[in-house]
């Protein structure tokens, strides 16, 4: 990646996977241009060549966003081929054309009766997904009103209206399947946040509404503690209550996680993420150590560990064990920046 002139960059990426029975290669280009105060244009294109000719496909994206202190507006287009599958990387959704649009109005206010209120944000966005054959897959409309206070606290009210077309049955859990059909549902939410720059901070939010011809209620909360510039601890709980008109459609889902960020200096720091969920009953830990050995260049050490908490309904080789190791992995990665 390089700067071609002030506030404009271009870059490229090449990946290659060679195996005894074939290959998978990808070539990509991207560009970004920033203009005015906070506006920008982004675009990228990538293509895959595979020894299986049916997997030769491409993906691309272009977006334009205008923004200033009071208004913002933007749109984007993304296309991902039906068979686009690079061997290195992750593709969230294949076979799609994605159109988006967004508008926002952010007036500064001075309401004496409400001490500390600084700004409102009115936002709306629309997403439209279709297949490469032009058949509608998903639509998402959302609108929100956010009140921001002088001490960086905020309260957000949101509403969403979604359409989802399932072309085949979807297993939301091992014993519950949502049938193929067209679904439309609406949801309402509220989100409250305190100032994250403070020593102690937190968030709480809840969302209620329809979900695949049923109902779903989400409760989310987090609390963080910043001991100093060397230690930052945050815990989070996500809990969902789902009630669907299908067999085994009533269930709760809970995820508990904590993250710890420790820094010896600006050049040497580590982050740990520990997570547990009641569906898989897996306790997972990810630890990443990052050393910036020269400016723009890094040395990473990553450790991943996963354990399974056994249940009464499981058939085990050793039924006396309450905790079973799923996997352990360690990865080292070094990067070095070459200035041209």
């Amino acid at each position: 990646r390089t700067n071609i002139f002030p506030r404009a960059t271009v870059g490229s990426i090449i990946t290659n996977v060679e195996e005894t029975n074939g290959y998978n290669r990808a070539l990509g280009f991207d560009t970004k241009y920033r203009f005015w105060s906070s506006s920008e244009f982004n675009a990228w294109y990538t293509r895959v060549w595979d020894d299986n000719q049916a997997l030769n496909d491409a993906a691309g994206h272009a977006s334009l966003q205008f923004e200033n202190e009071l208004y913002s507006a933007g749109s984007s287009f993304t296309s991902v081929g039906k068979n686009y599958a690079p061997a290195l990387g992750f593709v969230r959704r294949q076979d799609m054309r994605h159109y988006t649009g967004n508008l926002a109005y952010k007036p500064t206010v001075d309401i004496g009766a409400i001490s500390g209120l600084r700004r409102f944000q009115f936002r709306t966005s629309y997403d439209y997904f279709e297949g490469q054959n032009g058949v509608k897959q998903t639509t998402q409309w959302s609108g929100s009103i956010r009140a921001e206070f002088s001490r960086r606290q905020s309260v957000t009210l949101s509403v969403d209206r979604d359409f989802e077309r399932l072309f085949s049955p979807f297993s939301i859990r091992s014993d519950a399947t949502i049938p193929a059909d067209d679904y439309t549902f609406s949801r309402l939410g509220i989100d409250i946040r305190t100032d994250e720059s403070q020593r102690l901070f937190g968030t709480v939010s809840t969302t209620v509404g329809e979900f695949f011809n049923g109902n779903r209620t989400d409760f989310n909360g987090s609390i963080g503690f910043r001991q100093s510039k060397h230690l930052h601890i945050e815990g989070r709980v996500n809990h969902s209550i789902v009630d669907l008109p299908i067999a085994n459609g009533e269930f709760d889902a809970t995820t508990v996680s904590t993250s710890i960020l420790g820094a010896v200096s600006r050049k040497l720091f580590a982050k740990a993420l520990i997570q547990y969920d009641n569906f898989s009953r897996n306790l997972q830990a990810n630890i990443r150590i990052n050393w910036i050995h020269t400016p723009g260049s890094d040395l990473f050490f990553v450790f991943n560990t996963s354990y399974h908490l056994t249940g009464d309904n499981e058939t085990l080789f050793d039924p006396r064990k309450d905790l079973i190791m799923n996997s352990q992995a360690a990865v080292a990665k070094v990067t070095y920046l070459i200035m041209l």
Side-chain angles (χ1 to χ4, degrees):
R1 175 170 294 181
T2 186
N3 297 325
I4 52 176
F5 52 86
R7 307 189 74 186
T9 62
V10 295
S12 65
I13 185 171
I14 301 172
T15 66
N16 182 43
V17 175
E18 293 280 351
E19 298 177 329
T20 55
N21 58 347
Y23 62 86
N24 182 283
R25 299 164 184 153
L27 174 64
F29 301 93
D30 70 88
T31 183
K32 176 181 288 188
Y33 173 56
R34 305 170 187 84
F35 57 97
W36 296 344
S37 58
S38 302
S39 302
E40 66 178 29
F41 169 77
N42 280 285
W44 54 261
Y45 175 82
T46 175
R47 184 167 184 83
V48 170
W49 292 269
D50 196 278
D51 61 288
N52 180 355
Q53 299 299 311
L55 297 180
N56 291 352
D57 217 328
H61 168 86
S63 66
L64 182 62
Q65 185 73 25
F66 301 96
E67 187 161 356
N68 59 28
E69 285 293 320
L70 189 58
Y71 300 99
S72 70
S75 64
S76 70
F77 171 71
T78 305
S79 176
V80 180
K82 186 175 182 178
N83 301 309
Y84 177 73
L88 294 177
F90 173 71
V91 181
R92 179 178 293 181
R93 187 168 182 164
Q94 296 173 305
D95 186 22
M96 74 159 190
R97 292 196 290 258
H98 179 198
Y99 306 85
T100 72
N102 65 82
L103 293 170
Y105 176 52
K106 303 167 288 182
T108 300
V109 296
D110 183 11
I111 303 177
I114 305 178
S115 177
L117 183 61
R118 183 175 62 89
R119 170 181 288 184
F120 279 113
Q121 287 196 27
F122 302 90
R123 292 185 178 273
T124 184
S125 64
Y126 184 75
D127 294 73
Y128 181 90
F129 294 83
E130 65 181 14
Q132 292 292 337
N133 57 2
V135 177
K136 183 171 74 169
Q137 299 175 347
T138 304
T139 64
Q140 299 172 334
W141 173 83
S142 65
S144 66
I145 301 174
R146 179 178 179 179
E148 298 180 352
F149 297 84
S150 57
R151 295 186 177 181
R152 297 185 182 179
Q153 306 99 326
S154 67
V155 178
T156 304
L157 300 176
S158 61
V159 58
D160 298 276
R161 180 74 172 175
D162 297 344
F163 167 84
E164 193 70 50
R165 173 169 290 157
L166 296 184
F167 294 93
S168 59
F170 168 65
S171 296
I172 195 168
R173 54 183 298 182
S174 59
D175 58 356
T177 301
I178 299 175
D181 204 347
D182 290 352
Y183 298 89
T184 302
F185 41 91
S186 302
R187 295 173 61 76
L188 299 172
I190 182 171
D191 179 277
I192 302 172
R193 297 175 179 268
T194 65
D195 183 0
E196 294 187 359
S197 67
Q198 296 297 311
R199 190 178 184 87
L200 186 66
F201 59 91
T203 67
V204 61
S205 66
T206 183
T207 307
V208 298
E210 303 161 317
F211 187 66
F212 291 103
N213 289 343
N215 298 294
R216 173 176 170 177
T217 303
D218 296 324
F219 301 98
N220 304 299
S222 69
I223 185 169
F225 174 67
R226 183 174 287 100
Q227 186 271 335
S228 67
K229 64 181 181 180
H230 299 290
L231 181 62
H232 179 160
I233 302 173
E234 186 171 354
R236 181 176 295 274
V237 177
N238 301 317
H239 180 68
S240 298
I241 303 172
V242 180
D243 184 4
L244 300 174
I246 57 176
N248 303 309
E250 295 185 33
F251 58 88
D252 294 354
T254 303
T255 301
V256 181
S257 64
T258 183
S259 62
I260 304 171
L261 176 62
V264 176
S265 66
R266 293 184 178 181
K267 293 185 176 182
L268 179 60
F269 48 92
K271 185 173 184 179
L273 174 64
I274 304 171
Q275 180 174 289
Y276 171 80
D277 71 275
N278 68 321
F279 264 46
S280 66
R281 292 203 294 269
N282 287 340
L283 179 65
Q284 303 178 75
N286 170 271
I287 301 173
R288 184 182 65 183
I289 301 172
N290 184 10
W291 174 41
I292 305 176
H293 52 89
T294 55
S297 304
D298 303 85
L299 174 63
F300 295 96
F301 293 102
V302 181
F303 305 92
N304 293 319
T305 305
S306 175
Y307 289 90
H308 178 68
L309 277 68
T310 61
D312 297 334
N313 59 340
E314 294 183 84
T315 302
L316 304 172
F317 178 76
D318 186 351
R320 296 170 297 177
K321 285 193 172 183
D322 297 324
L323 192 65
I324 299 174
M325 178 183 290
N326 288 329
S327 63
Q328 279 189 333
V331 179
K333 175 185 175 182
V334 61
T335 66
Y336 193 84
L337 177 66
I338 301 174
M339 300 296 293
L340 300 178

